[in-house]
Amino acid sequence: MFDIQEELKKLPQKPGVYIMHDAKDAIIYIGKAVSLRNRVRQYFRPSHNEGLKKEQMVRQIVRFEYIITDSELEALILECNLIKEHRPKYNTMLRDDKSYPYIRVTLGEDFPRVLFSHQMKKDKSRYFGPYTNGGAVKETIELIRKLYALRTCSRSLPKDIGKERPCLNYHIHQCMAPCQGYISKEEYRQRIDKAVSFLNGNYQPILKELEAKMQEASGNMEFEKAIEYRELIKSIQQIAQKQKITHSDMEDKDIIAMASDGEDAVVQVFFVRDGKLIGRDHFRVDIGSEVGSAQVLATFLKQFYAGTPFIPKEVMVQEEIEEAGVIAEWLSQKRGQKVYVRVPKKGSKEKLVELARQNASMVLSQDKEKIKREEGRTIGALKELGRLLGLSDLRRVEAYDISNISGFASVGSMVVYEKGKPQRSDYRKFKLRTVTGPDDYASMQEVLSRRFSHGMKEQEELKARNLENQFGSFTKFPDLIMMDGGKGQVNVALQVLGELGLDIPVCGMVKDDNHRTRGLYYHKKEIPIDRRSEGFQLVTRIQDEAHRFAIEYHRSLRGKEQVHSVLDDIPGIGSARRKALMRKFQSLDEIRQAQVGELAKIPSMNERAAKAVYEFFHGKEGCE
């Protein structure tokens, strides 16, 4: 039994992170402290008051644990990582994690490429961004490739020069074919240097060059070429016009401000790169009425920069925050250079912060109803479902389905919904091992036994390594299991859970004669559900998703099995040649229609193997 008062006496006077658990051992709050002893003891003093939200949290604490660090900075880093991993209920949280694309120039290659990248890595490439609009990034990359005729292939050059024919881009004059040696490394590098200059915002040289080419083509009455140059000029001008705000210091900075109505908050971020405003984005934050704007901003900075690899030289905020010094130190470590967290008081910088605040306020007022509707479809629908079943604190729901055709290649699906939204990274597929024939009950028994046995094994392994707070693929158990069916499927699930000693609520999704959801089967009775309610819509989405996922997996296995069995019957065609045939042709019909000469040209094939394939489909006479 965890005695809170006794454990409080043991707290050290050292910096670290504290972790609060509730009666279900779920993590409900994570915080950092310069002195663990002073900070944690504050929560349990009668005179302590940090608002209603913290009072509710303290009443739910059953135990706490802590991790000692050497400094407040280490505690901050650990706190950020743990909050991102566990997303505790009572921490102020960003409602949506976002990642931003980059433009990557692979300068470490002899013949560099310009690529779209989801992340920034420590390699020899040059990265531009992050940008807020993925579509605009792709358009910019496409434009650069057209302007400078850069390669898009992944061939290893110069090693692979001349090994294969040039691709279509060469023939339509959008690549200089370095793969054929048609352009020297030095000349190609000059084109890359121009592309890098373009990405840095230096548009004038290419605009002048295109303008001259357009005039020349027009003078030579080559009007199609002239139109092509004119369209390129327009594309460049559109990109240039997006850089509406420019600063003479040419520094990278983020401008951050927020607006709040006491219940919700929106934080607006302006991204300035190389002195140009390249984009903006807003973030919704869950807060309590007692949480001040300075605290929201500090929390936002920690969560936002814990999840993005790019750190600007300067972060400008609308007001002073308590942890500015340690946050700046943390950001400086991540960047590898000094980072400043500042509150501008006058001039253009102060106006930019105010502009960000106004944008945040506008988003808050305009989107509030939209946010509530979305929450009604997800979190609200889940709460409605919980009330219908008499279950509180529903967060994670797992649904299961079986798919087969007359028992062929039976498969099971597991789909996961958290906070009313699909958690696709947690979806799982099961290829049945012990069941033959169309026995859905036995199939479901195998699927559930494997899922929860595996999960219990993972939990024991993590516990043995003192890693209880980490999660494997099956470690997290649901608050509710939903079966695609009624009484029979529910009883199968309850039997499996009982054998494993698990207590998880199970309900069935019952369908009518037209195969539409009509109600829920729970505690041995069918519960009607209002078809117009958000809860009903959520149940329908979950049921359809489980069914879709199972059918999709079954279809993929069925297709692979059919192709595999037919090609395996051809004498002299082993796995290497089968794969070569499948890479070359899209279907069996294409293989059937291919001639011997065409088949013989495929890598790993020869004349004898080609004849064997042809004879298999057409007979020996057709080959002669």
Side-chain angles (χ1 to χ4, degrees):
M1 184 70 180
F2 190 91
D3 188 326
I4 287 180
Q5 294 304 320
E6 284 299 316
E7 295 300 324
L8 288 173
K9 297 174 184 176
K10 301 175 185 176
L11 286 164
Q13 282 276 19
K14 290 186 176 182
V17 171
Y18 54 91
I19 304 165
M20 306 298 197
H21 294 258
D22 65 8
K24 294 182 179 179
D25 210 32
I27 295 174
I28 59 174
Y29 189 77
I30 296 171
K32 75 164 182 65
V34 179
S35 167
L36 285 166
R37 183 179 182 84
N38 295 345
R39 181 60 181 138
V40 177
R41 285 161 67 99
Q42 282 180 352
Y43 287 103
F44 301 96
R45 288 175 183 159
S47 60
H48 183 61
N49 180 19
E50 285 194 40
L52 182 61
K53 187 176 179 181
K54 285 287 175 68
E55 280 183 26
Q56 291 174 344
M57 183 268 288
V58 172
R59 285 199 294 269
Q60 294 184 43
I61 297 172
V62 171
R63 74 178 183 92
F64 61 80
E65 58 181 316
Y66 53 88
I67 303 170
I68 296 171
T69 60
D70 288 332
S71 66
E72 186 184 5
L73 176 60
E74 286 185 12
L76 172 71
I77 296 169
L78 181 57
E79 178 197 30
C80 291
N81 292 339
L82 291 175
I83 288 174
K84 186 175 177 64
E85 175 71 25
H86 298 291
R87 303 188 67 83
K89 179 179 179 180
Y90 286 99
N91 282 92
T92 299
M93 296 297 300
L94 298 186
R95 289 188 189 167
D96 46 357
D97 291 328
K98 301 180 183 180
S99 59
Y100 297 96
Y102 297 82
I103 294 177
R104 177 188 176 204
V105 184
T106 60
L107 296 178
E109 297 178 329
D110 287 333
F111 293 90
R113 294 166 292 159
V114 179
L115 305 173
F116 183 100
S117 178
H118 286 287
Q119 54 187 323
M120 186 170 69
K121 298 179 180 178
K122 291 185 177 179
D123 55 20
K124 294 180 180 179
S125 299
R126 172 87 181 271
Y127 289 86
F128 296 86
Y131 300 97
T132 56
N133 188 324
V137 170
K138 290 175 182 175
E139 289 174 9
T140 302
I141 291 172
E142 187 178 347
L143 175 61
I144 287 172
R145 287 170 175 170
K146 284 181 180 178
L147 291 173
Y148 302 108
L150 303 175
R151 74 184 183 107
T152 62
C153 67
S154 57
R155 296 175 186 175
S156 179
L157 303 180
K159 185 177 72 174
D160 291 341
I161 287 179
K163 287 188 178 180
E164 294 182 40
R165 291 178 297 176
C167 65
L168 178 64
N169 283 348
Y170 168 72
H171 297 289
I172 61 174
H173 310 295
Q174 289 189 13
C175 179
M176 299 301 294
C179 61
Q180 303 301 306
Y182 294 165
I183 183 172
S184 68
K185 181 178 173 181
E186 292 71 26
E187 188 181 348
Y188 188 91
R189 180 60 69 149
Q190 288 175 7
R191 290 173 178 265
I192 283 291
D193 290 341
K194 289 180 180 179
V196 169
S197 176
F198 180 92
L199 287 168
N200 279 323
N202 189 10
Y203 307 122
Q204 290 308 313
I206 189 65
L207 281 172
K208 287 180 181 178
E209 185 180 329
L210 290 173
E211 182 76 30
K213 287 182 178 180
M214 182 179 71
Q215 297 297 341
E216 183 183 349
S218 180
N220 294 334
M221 304 185 76
E222 297 172 322
F223 299 116
E224 286 187 8
K225 262 190 180 181
I227 290 171
E228 192 177 317
Y229 289 132
R230 186 191 67 190
E231 293 305 311
L232 287 174
I233 290 170
K234 278 186 180 179
S235 297
I236 296 170
Q237 287 172 340
Q238 284 175 358
I239 289 174
Q241 284 171 5
K242 291 176 183 176
Q243 313 297 342
K244 291 183 179 178
I245 299 176
T246 304
H247 287 272
S248 57
D249 58 12
M250 300 298 286
E251 294 287 0
D252 295 335
K253 57 174 68 71
D254 288 347
I255 295 129
I256 300 174
M258 64 158 285
S260 168
D261 62 4
E263 294 179 359
D264 297 300
V266 169
V267 179
Q268 182 85 33
V269 184
F270 285 170
F271 302 97
V272 176
R273 300 293 179 262
D274 291 320
K276 299 179 181 65
L277 179 65
I278 66 165
R280 63 178 184 175
D281 208 345
H282 61 267
F283 301 80
R284 299 180 181 91
V285 184
D286 283 320
I287 64 170
S289 57
E290 70 280 357
V291 178
S293 55
Q295 186 177 344
V296 173
L297 285 170
T299 302
F300 174 82
L301 292 180
K302 290 187 284 186
Q303 292 184 26
F304 178 68
Y305 290 115
T308 178
F310 184 86
I311 309 296
K313 184 174 182 179
E314 185 178 12
V315 177
M316 298 192 300
V317 294
Q318 71 192 87
E319 62 181 278
E320 298 290 347
I321 56 177
E322 285 184 9
E323 299 175 298
V326 69
I327 289 174
E329 187 181 354
W330 168 56
L331 294 177
S332 299
Q333 274 197 3
K334 291 195 73 175
R335 179 180 167 90
Q337 292 178 324
K338 181 70 174 174
V339 174
Y340 301 90
V341 178
R342 291 174 169 147
V343 181
K345 302 295 184 183
K346 60 182 180 179
S348 61
K349 291 183 178 180
E350 191 273 335
K351 288 178 181 176
L352 265 179
V353 172
E354 174 59 20
L355 186 62
R357 189 202 62 76
Q358 290 174 10
N359 276 266
S361 182
M362 182 185 67
V363 170
L364 184 66
S365 60
Q366 289 182 349
D367 289 0
K368 195 167 180 62
E369 287 305 314
K370 181 181 174 183
I371 294 166
K372 286 185 176 178
R373 285 197 301 272
E374 177 61 22
E375 286 187 347
R377 290 184 69 253
T378 55
I379 297 172
L382 198 59
K383 287 180 179 177
E384 189 179 306
L385 182 61
R387 286 194 296 270
L388 193 66
L389 300 175
L391 300 171
S392 60
D393 295 328
L394 270 188
R395 179 185 172 94
R396 180 183 174 98
V397 175
E398 291 181 4
Y400 295 84
D401 193 14
I402 300 295
S403 179
N404 63 64
I405 296 178
S406 301
F408 172 79
S410 291
V411 300
S413 71
M414 164 185 147
V415 301
V416 180
Y417 276 64
E418 287 196 354
K419 293 185 176 182
K421 295 180 181 180
Q423 188 78 6
R424 291 186 174 84
S425 60
D426 286 358
Y427 283 17
R428 292 295 180 267
K429 306 168 184 174
F430 300 85
K431 188 174 182 181
L432 276 296
R433 300 169 181 167
T434 62
V435 182
T436 55
D439 189 339
D440 282 359
Y441 289 163
S443 298
M444 187 59 74
Q445 187 173 25
E446 180 188 328
V447 167
L448 293 172
S449 296
R450 284 167 57 187
R451 183 266 180 268
F452 288 104
S453 296
H454 194 158
M456 294 171 72
K457 184 180 177 183
E458 281 188 351
Q459 288 178 353
E460 288 298 319
E461 289 174 351
L462 291 171
K463 189 174 181 180
R465 295 159 55 198
N466 292 320
L467 298 173
E468 295 99 320
N469 295 326
Q470 295 189 17
F471 296 105
S473 58
F474 283 126
T475 316
K476 292 170 75 174
F477 283 0
D479 303 309
L480 174 67
I481 295 172
M482 304 192 78
M483 308 299 295
D484 185 42
K487 180 179 178 180
Q489 292 284 21
V490 169
N491 287 340
V492 168
L494 291 172
Q495 179 187 342
V496 171
L497 295 173
E499 290 171 356
L500 295 173
L502 297 173
D503 182 18
I504 301 173
V506 182
C507 80
M509 297 176 284
V510 185
K511 293 184 177 180
D512 59 21
D513 294 337
N514 296 316
H515 211 64
R516 293 180 301 186
T517 308
R518 75 165 186 242
L520 301 173
Y521 182 82
Y522 186 63
H523 281 177
K524 299 183 179 180
K525 63 180 181 181
E526 186 172 320
I527 303 172
I529 183 169
D530 183 357
R531 289 176 179 269
R532 296 166 298 178
S533 68
E534 291 291 356
F536 176 82
Q537 299 299 328
L538 176 62
V539 170
T540 302
R541 288 197 298 273
I542 292 173
Q543 191 169 32
D544 290 345
E545 181 70 351
H547 191 56
R548 177 201 66 77
F549 193 54
I551 287 177
E552 189 178 87
Y553 180 41
H554 184 262
R555 188 181 293 125
S556 70
L557 285 181
R558 197 167 70 239
K560 288 176 185 176
E561 188 67 29
Q562 288 169 350
V563 172
H564 168 85
S565 61
V566 171
L567 297 181
D568 263 9
D569 289 339
I570 304 175
I573 302 301
S575 104
R577 284 173 175 163
R578 184 178 70 245
K579 288 176 184 175
L581 286 166
M582 291 170 70
R583 276 196 296 268
K584 173 67 176 176
F585 300 102
Q586 298 297 313
S587 66
L588 281 173
D589 284 338
E590 288 189 17
I591 298 174
R592 185 181 289 109
Q593 293 165 12
Q595 300 300 311
V596 173
E598 185 180 1
L599 292 165
K601 292 178 181 177
I602 297 171
S604 82
M605 295 286 286
N606 54 31
E607 188 79 19
R608 184 177 175 182
K611 283 183 178 180
V613 174
Y614 191 88
E615 288 172 8
F616 180 82
F617 288 110
H618 301 278
K620 195 166 185 179
E621 294 78 9
C623 189
E624 294 172 348

